[in-house]
Amino acid sequence: MILLLAILVAASCSTQRNNSQTRMWHAFNARYNTYFNASQAFIEGCDEQERGNRDDYTQLLPIYAVGNKQSRSIGTSHFDRTIEKSEKAIRRHSIKRRPEWNKQRRKTKADIEWLNRHEYNPFLWRAWLLLGKAQFHEGNFEESAATFGYMARLYKTQPIILARARAWQAKCYAEMGWRYETEDLITNQHRDSIPRQAVADWDFTLADHYLRTGQYADATRYLMRCIRHERRRQRKARLWYIVGQIEQHQGHSQQAFEAYRHVVRLQPPYELEFNARISQTEVMASADAKGMIRKLQRMAASDNNKDYLDQIHYAIGNIRLAQRDTLQAIASYEEGARRSTRNGTEKGALLLQLAQLYWQREAYADARRCYSEAVGLIDTALPYYKEVNRRSEILDQLVPLTDAVHLEDSLQRLVAMPEADRLKVIDRHIAELKNAEREAKRAQQDAEMQSQWEMQNAQNNGMSAVGNDTKASTWYFYNPQLVSQGRIRFEQLWGKRPNEDDWQRSNRSVVPTLNGEADHETEVDADSAKTTTSATETESDTTQLNPFTREYHLAQLPFTAEQKAESDRKMREALLPAAVIMKDKVENLALARRMFTYLVDRWPTDSLNDLAWYHLYLMNAREGRMADADSALARLQCQYPQSEWTQLLSNPYYADNQRFGQHLEDSLYAATYEAFCQERYQEVAANVLLSAQRFPHGAHRSKFLFVEALSLLNEGRVDKSAQQLKQVVEDYPDSEVGPMAGHILRGLQQGRRPQGTMRPKDDIWRQHALAESSDSTVVDTLSLRRDVRFAFVLAFHPDSVNQNQLLYELARYNFTSYLVRNFEIAVNSEDPVHRLTVSGFRSYDEALQYARHLYDAPQMTVRLKGCRRIIISEDNLLLLGTQYSYDDYDRFFQETLAPVKTDSHPLLNSPETIVEQSADRETDDDADEDQLPMPSSSPDQPIVIDFDDDFYR
């Protein structure tokens, strides 16, 4: 009996047998062994991720915690264990062999469906589902989508499992931002009926998709259905909060208030409840603004909210701003920024709102302060981050200039005051300085205490952080948020210092000498230098260096005529570039016009006024004020006839150049380049001269000079060519041809001369570098074999194709089109011709099929323009560009490989490697029939699965 029992157990353990006993045994063993461990690890991972997740309540919350990038690293150890156990369950308990069928029995429709399955373990689909969900919550959306895609093919005859797999696959696409693929899956599923068991999965998927695409009405409808499906209180409260955010965004105040009230009733974690109460006051502010403000002020007085004061004052400011009380709103925002303790995204949103108000009110110094700090606190992935960063950079250029103008103007106004009033102003300023110093010391102490608290908290948690949601996963200087925060802390400690030597010294009355030593503050003659400085002089010097004394500030005032002239010079030199920035970058034309007008009216004979009149002409012409524009041109021609701006505006072709100049210059440059390629160097010189006359400030001016320099070099006029290249390097250092001109010029200065002539890029396809080798075994002839490993190559000129975009689209195409093959993409950017090489083809026929499918794909048609397609064996690839040029191989391909008839079967749907069964297991021809390949060809790459919602609900 024992022997018989052992034989029965051994027979039931084999996956090569498919009967009711083996199916029952493997289903039971998978469920209560590996799958149970995987599901428990998944539950723990989801709980840990939800506890550690930190949402940004200033933005629309994602449905899943994994939607926050900072939360994807939470719970990974549990998810990795889930993936490992799920793979183990699939590997050990998958039954692919078809069952034996009694041929005398007639097959029903259900029997046909059952026999056409690819997996006969009735429980294993849950392991696949759990695997995919674990990968999803880990943030590996690509792998998760591949798992669910494979699962959909594996269970295509079972509608319930197929619908659930499609729902999660669409969810992965939505998280990656692949809108077309998501909508394609939704359309295909809606074409079929959704089974009752898959409705919950599809409701969450559709809610997530509509939320991300801005279809808020549909998103609200499906979110309400998700709330009915959800069982856990915390998750349900989160969904209600998202509904409230959507209703508030659409202006439905009453519906938003009710949604937030549902959040409070569910008693969620305090942070979520607090934000719901804050949002309630904002949506109902229009009905009772004063009452809502009093409620928020009571919340600010509570000790429970001491870490949320920035949000409370932000909400008060929003209510006052809605009541059009801008000054009180600014005061509330400033109070919130001052009392903030977290330095997180909430403070970033507050500072951003405050900066926008200051920008609108033309208070650019205050706007710079707020933008500089906000850019280091908000998420770089936000759609408006680039605009915020752009404004911050503009203000970094503008504010020092305007501050210099305001300073000199204030000093001159002080000089014009009576002495009594002047001293009152100075005393008041000294009092402000003392108060600011006390505040700075207090802020520094608070910052040190906060830093110590953060370091202690980081040590307790086993991690380090600079802000609430700043991760140190990248080098400091590559993280704009960390750089901005570091700059703010530096300015708080040292003030605003220029980037120069001795920056630590805020007041440098000593000047470094040639020997690196410091001279004394005042020059003294040789006799007085030998004597000891009297105590009175020392005390006087100390007084002049103390900013808290009257003498210090009086010493800064321009009393004499020379000091007044120097002050005027500083104002002029700062006012002109500030006005240009105001016009071109800030685009505040009204203020820019006032600045230019003030400049030309106060200093009418200044040598820099030609640029001011030029910009006045442009602004007036832009706004259609042609009388003012003609007046500005007349003043320019009268006072500055030799100015380059006068000559530019006096050009008879100026109007045509403004309308059609870009197209005309493009055409002229194309003709010039064509003449250079055909070695018509006289025509090149004539076109370059014409461009100097018609387009002296054109976009292609540097290219004209560079092409002419190459023409001179080809003619042997090395000295003239070097002068032309030097002009390109000096006048256009940031142009596209600037670096190339610098390399050629450096070679000419070193005495090197080009071999032959400088070739246009079309000749690159015909070039090859013959490398001499002493090894007689090196093969230097092209192989005709088709059964060896091949590669597909895209060759292109670097200036004609966006290489990064092409690489991204090609990798995306491979991933979405070939789930069972893992093609490698290599990039070669060293040669004049750049190449993207796709490898992993086992024969010429496979590479040819890949090329045909790639060029048939509509999404790749635009990206492949400008690329040269090459199908080549890996052995021949070593000879390409060395022994043989691209044109040589193209002729070889057309003569030998192209005419050959190839296999028409879909070769790329089979895996590159097949894992064979061990020899001691039974094999059967029918056992491998219709089996689908695993989604990963690498044994180290995890296989994907997913599991029921019940396990984490």
Side-chain angles (χ1 to χ4, degrees):
M1 291 296 295
I2 296 176
L3 179 61
L4 179 61
L5 181 62
I7 294 174
L8 291 176
V9 171
S12 63
C13 290
S14 174
T15 58
Q16 294 303 309
R17 295 182 179 274
N18 189 353
N19 52 48
S20 59
Q21 291 83 7
T22 58
R23 292 193 295 271
M24 182 275 296
W25 168 259
H26 284 287
F28 180 85
N29 199 2
R31 178 169 189 169
Y32 294 105
N33 190 358
T34 50
Y35 178 79
F36 175 80
N37 295 329
S39 62
Q40 292 301 310
F42 182 78
I43 294 173
E44 294 174 2
C46 290
D47 290 342
E48 182 179 338
Q49 190 174 72
E50 289 186 356
R51 288 194 304 268
N53 178 53
R54 292 295 177 266
D55 285 309
D56 179 9
Y57 291 93
T58 63
Q59 305 295 324
L60 191 62
L61 297 189
I63 292 180
Y64 297 97
V66 73
N68 295 324
K69 295 181 180 179
Q70 293 81 6
S71 300
R72 294 176 186 175
S73 60
I74 304 175
T76 53
S77 60
H78 299 291
F79 294 132
D80 289 339
R81 179 172 175 79
T82 302
I83 293 171
E84 176 186 358
K85 292 298 181 180
S86 300
E87 290 175 349
K88 187 176 181 180
I90 294 171
R91 186 168 56 251
R92 289 190 174 184
H93 303 292
S94 176
I95 301 176
K96 297 292 183 68
R97 180 184 178 120
R98 282 187 176 183
E100 295 181 359
W101 181 260
N102 185 359
K103 297 183 179 179
Q104 295 181 354
R105 176 184 171 184
R106 186 177 180 180
K107 297 179 182 178
T108 64
K109 186 176 181 180
D111 294 333
I112 295 174
E113 182 275 325
W114 187 65
L115 290 174
N116 287 331
R117 292 183 180 181
H118 301 295
E119 176 59 61
Y120 290 94
N121 187 328
F123 184 81
L124 207 59
W125 68 272
R126 296 178 180 271
W128 280 106
L129 195 62
L130 181 60
L131 174 60
K133 288 183 178 181
Q135 292 172 331
F136 176 86
H137 285 279
E138 203 173 33
N140 297 327
F141 303 122
E142 295 87 353
E143 295 181 7
S144 182
T147 298
F148 289 120
Y150 178 76
M151 184 180 174
R153 296 176 56 199
L154 189 64
Y155 294 97
K156 62 182 179 181
T157 61
Q158 298 170 260
I160 297 176
I161 303 176
L162 175 62
R164 300 193 67 176
R166 281 180 174 177
W168 278 92
Q169 187 180 14
K171 197 174 302 183
C172 295
Y173 288 155
E175 291 292 336
M176 289 187 290
W178 295 7
R179 182 172 179 177
Y180 173 80
E181 289 80 0
T182 306
E183 293 178 348
D184 184 59
L185 279 175
I186 293 173
T187 303
N188 292 336
Q189 187 60 44
H190 282 175
R191 193 176 295 121
D192 306 327
S193 61
I194 299 178
R196 177 181 57 83
Q197 296 86 339
V199 168
D201 291 312
W202 271 107
D203 285 343
F204 276 93
T205 298
L206 292 171
D208 191 22
H209 170 66
Y210 291 134
L211 187 66
R212 290 179 175 276
T213 55
Q215 304 177 55
Y216 294 128
D218 293 330
T220 303
R221 177 162 54 92
Y222 281 100
L223 278 171
M224 298 302 297
R225 300 176 64 174
C226 293
I227 291 173
R228 290 194 293 270
H229 296 313
E230 189 56 64
R231 304 175 188 175
R232 292 174 300 169
R233 179 181 298 176
Q234 181 175 345
R235 284 277 301 166
K236 185 172 291 189
R238 180 187 179 87
L239 294 176
W240 271 116
Y241 189 87
I242 297 174
V243 172
Q245 286 183 307
I246 294 175
E247 297 291 359
Q248 184 178 358
H249 178 78
Q250 296 180 100
H252 305 157
S253 300
Q254 187 60 40
Q255 292 86 336
F257 183 85
E258 292 296 329
Y260 291 133
R261 187 166 64 177
H262 279 289
V263 177
V264 176
R265 287 177 176 176
L266 289 169
Q267 298 180 355
Y270 184 74
E271 185 177 14
L272 181 57
E273 179 184 354
F274 170 81
N275 281 276
R277 293 184 184 276
I278 288 288
S279 300
Q280 278 184 311
T281 61
E282 292 184 353
V283 297
M284 297 305 296
S286 58
D288 185 14
K290 293 183 179 180
M292 295 297 103
I293 290 177
R294 286 194 297 269
K295 182 178 180 180
L296 288 170
Q297 289 173 344
R298 289 194 298 269
M299 293 176 64
S302 173
D303 291 337
N304 294 333
N305 300 327
K306 62 182 180 179
D307 292 332
Y308 303 99
L309 294 178
D310 50 357
Q311 286 183 260
I312 295 175
H313 288 284
Y314 178 59
I316 294 174
N318 290 341
I319 295 175
R320 286 173 170 168
L321 189 63
Q323 299 297 318
R324 298 183 179 181
D325 191 351
T326 307
L327 293 179
Q328 290 298 322
I330 291 176
S332 299
Y333 293 143
E334 289 285 7
E335 181 69 10
R338 186 181 65 83
R339 302 183 65 180
S340 175
T341 60
R342 293 180 293 172
N343 287 332
T345 55
E346 295 81 4
K347 183 179 180 181
L350 183 149
L351 289 171
L352 185 59
Q353 180 71 12
L354 186 58
Q356 291 173 346
L357 289 177
Y358 282 136
W359 179 281
Q360 295 171 2
R361 296 173 64 86
E362 299 179 356
Y364 294 112
D366 292 326
R368 181 201 184 193
R369 167 175 55 85
C370 297
Y371 275 125
S372 297
E373 190 172 358
V375 78
L377 298 176
I378 63 177
D379 189 359
T380 57
L382 293 175
Y384 52 79
Y385 176 81
K386 290 184 178 179
E387 177 62 20
V388 173
N389 189 51
R390 185 187 73 87
R391 288 191 176 186
S392 178
E393 293 176 350
I394 291 173
L395 294 177
D396 286 342
Q397 302 174 16
L398 173 66
V399 171
L401 299 173
T402 55
D403 285 348
V405 174
H406 294 157
L407 175 62
E408 298 300 330
D409 185 66
S410 300
L411 294 178
Q412 293 183 15
R413 288 176 180 270
L414 279 176
V415 172
M417 286 183 178
E419 183 177 2
D421 295 340
R422 184 189 309 135
L423 294 178
K424 288 181 180 179
V425 173
I426 292 176
D427 292 340
R428 186 166 59 250
H429 182 64
I430 292 174
E432 293 175 354
L433 288 178
K434 291 180 179 180
N435 186 39
E437 185 182 36
R438 287 193 297 268
E439 293 292 335
K441 289 182 179 180
R442 187 182 300 111
Q444 183 177 357
Q445 293 174 357
D446 294 341
E448 291 176 355
M449 294 178 60
Q450 178 72 11
S451 178
Q452 293 176 0
W453 180 84
E454 289 179 355
M455 292 178 61
Q456 183 178 1
N457 187 44
Q459 292 175 357
N460 295 335
N461 296 334
M463 58 182 293
S464 60
V466 177
N468 275 0
D469 34 290
T470 301
K471 295 174 60 180
S473 59
T474 57
W475 189 39
Y476 179 92
F477 294 102
Y478 288 165
N479 191 324
Q481 291 177 311
L482 294 180
V483 171
S484 179
Q485 292 180 7
R487 183 179 64 180
I488 294 170
R489 293 186 179 183
F490 175 86
E491 292 181 354
Q492 290 175 351
L493 181 62
W494 295 97
K496 297 178 181 179
R497 305 295 178 87
N499 186 12
E500 59 185 12
D501 294 337
D502 296 331
W503 59 267
Q504 299 95 331
R505 300 162 61 188
S506 60
N507 190 295
R508 293 187 297 277
S509 298
V510 292
V511 182
T513 62
L514 294 177
N515 296 328
E517 301 177 352
D519 293 339
H520 291 287
E521 289 83 346
T522 56
E523 294 185 0
V524 295
D525 54 20
D527 295 335
S528 61
K530 296 178 183 180
T531 60
T532 304
T533 306
S534 63
T536 304
E537 292 175 349
T538 303
E539 182 179 358
S540 176
D541 292 340
T542 305
T543 303
Q544 290 182 0
L545 294 177
N546 186 2
F548 301 117
T549 61
R550 289 181 176 180
E551 290 76 9
Y552 172 84
H553 296 282
L554 290 173
Q556 315 297 324
L557 299 181
F559 287 105
T560 66
E562 293 79 5
Q563 293 174 338
K564 176 65 166 54
E566 178 65 16
S567 179
D568 286 344
R569 182 190 64 81
K570 292 179 180 178
M571 288 185 63
R572 293 196 305 271
E573 292 181 353
L575 186 58
L576 180 59
V580 174
I581 294 174
M582 192 68 65
K583 165 184 169 289
D584 295 335
K585 297 183 178 180
V586 181
E587 296 183 355
N588 188 340
L589 299 185
L591 183 56
R593 177 180 288 104
R594 294 200 301 269
M595 295 171 71
F596 282 124
T597 304
Y598 179 82
L599 181 66
V600 297
D601 289 344
R602 181 167 179 177
W603 299 284
T605 60
D606 187 73
S607 59
L608 299 178
N609 282 359
D610 58 338
L611 183 59
W613 284 114
Y614 170 74
H615 283 287
L616 284 172
Y617 172 86
L618 294 181
M619 285 191 296
N620 290 324
R622 176 180 175 180
E623 296 178 346
R625 304 166 59 175
M626 297 311 301
D628 294 336
D630 294 339
S631 176
L633 178 58
R635 293 288 297 271
L636 192 61
Q637 292 173 338
C638 178
Q639 296 183 6
Y640 307 96
Q642 302 301 324
S643 172
E644 60 175 324
W645 311 112
T646 304
Q647 297 177 6
L648 177 64
L649 296 179
S650 302
N651 189 336
Y653 303 104
Y654 177 77
D656 293 337
N657 289 344
Q658 294 300 309
R659 293 182 179 180
F660 316 109
Q662 181 179 357
H663 302 290
L664 294 174
E665 188 185 18
D666 290 343
S667 301
L668 182 61
Y669 177 71
T672 305
Y673 184 76
E674 181 65 24
F676 170 74
C677 295
Q678 301 296 329
E679 300 183 0
R680 302 195 304 269
Y681 300 135
Q682 293 183 352
E683 183 178 343
V684 170
N687 289 346
V688 172
L689 179 61
L690 180 59
S691 72
Q693 297 173 351
R694 290 290 305 271
F695 314 106
H697 302 283
H700 299 307
R701 182 58 187 161
S702 59
K703 295 181 181 179
F704 278 108
L705 296 175
F706 182 70
V707 171
E708 185 180 27
L710 296 184
S711 301
L712 295 171
L713 194 58
N714 288 343
E715 291 179 332
R717 302 164 64 181
V718 178
D719 294 339
K720 183 65 175 175
S721 176
Q723 295 177 3
Q724 201 86 326
L725 292 172
K726 184 178 180 180
Q727 182 180 356
V728 174
V729 173
E730 293 178 350
D731 295 346
Y732 308 96
D734 298 329
S735 66
E736 182 181 353
V737 296
M740 289 188 290
H743 289 308
I744 298 175
L745 179 60
R746 190 178 302 111
L748 295 178
Q749 292 174 345
Q750 294 174 355
R752 302 170 61 184
R753 296 294 181 266
Q755 301 296 325
T757 59
M758 304 295 290
R759 295 282 185 182
K761 66 180 182 181
D762 294 335
D763 289 344
I764 297 178
W765 302 113
R766 298 191 292 270
Q767 293 180 359
H768 56 84
L770 290 173
E772 296 182 0
S773 175
S774 59
D775 188 357
S776 59
T777 63
V778 175
V779 178
D780 59 354
T781 58
L782 296 173
S783 173
L784 296 174
R785 295 188 59 181
R786 299 169 46 215
D787 57 347
V788 296
R789 299 191 71 84
F790 266 72
F792 174 78
V793 179
L794 290 174
F796 52 88
H797 298 295
D799 58 347
S800 60
V801 174
N802 187 334
Q803 177 176 303
N804 294 332
Q805 187 67 33
L806 177 61
L807 176 62
Y808 169 78
E809 294 293 345
L810 187 61
R812 180 179 177 181
Y813 169 80
N814 289 348
F815 170 74
T816 56
S817 302
Y818 304 101
L819 300 179
V820 300
R821 298 295 291 272
N822 186 18
F823 297 125
E824 298 291 338
I825 303 178
V827 181
N828 184 358
S829 303
E830 298 178 358
D831 298 331
V833 176
H834 290 195
R835 298 189 308 207
L836 291 184
T837 304
V838 183
S839 58
F841 304 104
R842 295 172 295 186
S843 65
Y844 165 76
D845 294 359
E846 284 191 357
L848 183 61
Q849 285 189 10
Y850 175 85
R852 289 173 176 172
H853 294 164
L854 179 66
Y855 275 82
D856 288 341
Q859 68 272 24
M860 296 299 298
T861 303
V862 178
R863 296 297 175 194
L864 295 176
K865 289 183 178 180
C867 297
R868 189 163 183 167
R869 180 183 66 178
I870 302 171
I871 301 175
I872 187 171
S873 66
E874 294 184 358
D875 295 333
N876 290 341
L877 184 60
L878 301 175
L879 307 177
L880 188 63
T882 56
Q883 277 80 5
Y884 296 92
S885 66
Y886 290 89
D887 286 348
D888 293 338
Y889 180 77
D890 187 62
R891 287 191 294 270
F892 165 81
F893 179 84
Q894 296 298 332
E895 294 173 1
T896 58
L897 296 177
V900 177
K901 185 177 180 180
T902 59
D903 193 346
S904 59
H905 291 85
L907 304 176
L908 299 177
N909 292 334
S910 60
E912 186 176 359
T913 59
I914 301 177
V915 180
E916 298 181 354
Q917 301 286 348
S918 59
D920 57 345
R921 293 192 175 185
E922 291 187 11
T923 59
D924 190 276
D925 295 338
D926 295 335
D928 295 332
E929 185 177 354
D930 293 336
Q931 289 190 18
L932 292 179
M934 301 294 285
S936 173
S937 61
S938 173
D940 296 331
Q941 184 174 349
I943 308 172
V944 191
I945 28 178
D946 213 329
F947 94 118
D948 261 347
D949 296 337
D950 300 342
F951 285 95
Y952 63 87
R953 290 179 184 168

